[in-house]
């Protein structure tokens, strides 16, 4: 997993800032990795942790707050590819990739999962399944006339999590 902050405004617009696979500190203190010359940024403003396939931002009790997607955060919050980070007057976007592909940004291509919407040829095996001699009805109404499919629920999930690019 590769994590970068991309500068969204100013002289360095578009410039990526690679983050280590540990903790990245933002603030005006000399121990911070990114030390902006902005009085709106606290000495120790926020920390970004990237490990185990997850990225989290923690506000370090900054005076003016740390914002993710326009919302002031309290404590620690998870972030994903494309999320926006505001620290003082600075604006960044998270670029989280794995082998060059964005991760955590929702489903990018319906064709990659389209097969899940279709009824499987062996879906009859899911009907009236018995375990330890107990019949388990999987569907309401007439189980013989229906097949088990995650299509509707999966389509709803995909629609809610599509990448808005």
């Amino acid at each position: 997993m590769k994590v970068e902050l991309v500068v969204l405004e100013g002289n360095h617009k578009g410039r990526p800032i690679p983050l280590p696979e540990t903790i990245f500190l933002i603030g005006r203190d000399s121990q911070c990795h990114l030390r902006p010359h902005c009085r709106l940024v606290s000495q120790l403003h926020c920390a970004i942790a990237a490990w185990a396939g997850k990225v989290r931002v923690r506000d370090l009790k900054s005076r003016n707050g740390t914002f993710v997607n326009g919302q002031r955060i309290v404590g620690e919050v998870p972030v994903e590819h494309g999320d926006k980070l505001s620290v003082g007057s600075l604006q960044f976007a998270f670029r989280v990739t794995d082998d060059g592909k964005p991760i955590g940004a929702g489903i990018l291509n319906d064709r990659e999962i389209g097969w899940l919407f279709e009824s499987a040829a062996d879906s009859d095996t899911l009907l009236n399944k018995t375990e330890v001699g107990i019949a388990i009805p999987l569907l309401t109404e007439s189980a013989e006339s229906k097949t088990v499919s995650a299509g509707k629920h999966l389509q709803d999930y995909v629609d809610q999590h599509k990448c808005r690019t």
Side-chain angles (χ1 to χ4, degrees):
M1 178 176 73
K2 180 179 174 184
V3 181
E4 297 175 319
L5 286 178
V6 179
V7 179
L8 295 179
E9 296 177 0
N11 293 339
H12 300 287
K13 182 177 180 178
R15 183 177 180 180
I17 302 169
L19 303 185
E21 292 185 26
T22 56
I23 301 289
F24 184 83
L25 293 173
I26 299 175
R28 292 185 294 118
D29 193 86
S30 62
Q31 67 182 314
C32 293
H33 299 93
L34 180 61
R35 294 186 297 273
H37 299 289
C38 174
R39 299 301 291 167
L40 297 174
V41 176
S42 297
Q43 290 293 107
L44 294 173
H45 198 96
C46 68
I48 302 168
W51 62 66
K54 300 196 186 304
V55 183
R56 301 185 69 78
V57 176
R58 175 179 290 271
D59 181 70
L60 300 175
K61 299 182 181 177
S62 63
R63 184 175 8 149
N64 294 309
T66 301
F67 295 80
V68 172
N69 297 326
Q71 299 293 315
R72 187 173 185 152
I73 65 170
V74 177
E76 185 176 293
V77 298
V79 293
E80 296 180 340
H81 177 83
D83 283 346
K84 307 290 189 276
L85 174 68
S86 300
V87 176
S89 63
L90 306 174
Q91 303 290 317
F92 304 97
F94 281 93
R95 184 184 296 158
V96 183
T97 57
D98 188 20
D99 294 330
K101 297 178 185 175
I103 58 175
I107 296 166
L108 300 176
N109 187 345
D110 289 348
R111 286 175 278 153
E112 294 176 9
I113 61 165
W115 62 272
L116 291 170
F117 298 120
E118 301 167 2
S119 295
D122 62 351
S123 62
D124 289 338
T125 60
L126 297 175
L127 300 174
N128 295 326
K129 184 177 179 181
T130 56
E131 290 183 20
V132 195
I134 301 171
I136 303 171
L138 295 176
L139 299 170
T140 58
E141 300 177 19
S142 171
E144 288 103 31
S145 65
K146 299 198 179 226
T147 59
V148 175
S149 172
K152 173 72 173 116
H153 298 292
L154 187 58
Q155 183 65 54
D156 291 345
Y157 176 83
V158 168
D159 290 344
Q160 291 174 5
H161 292 87
K162 275 190 181 173
C163 184
R164 292 164 179 57
T165 57

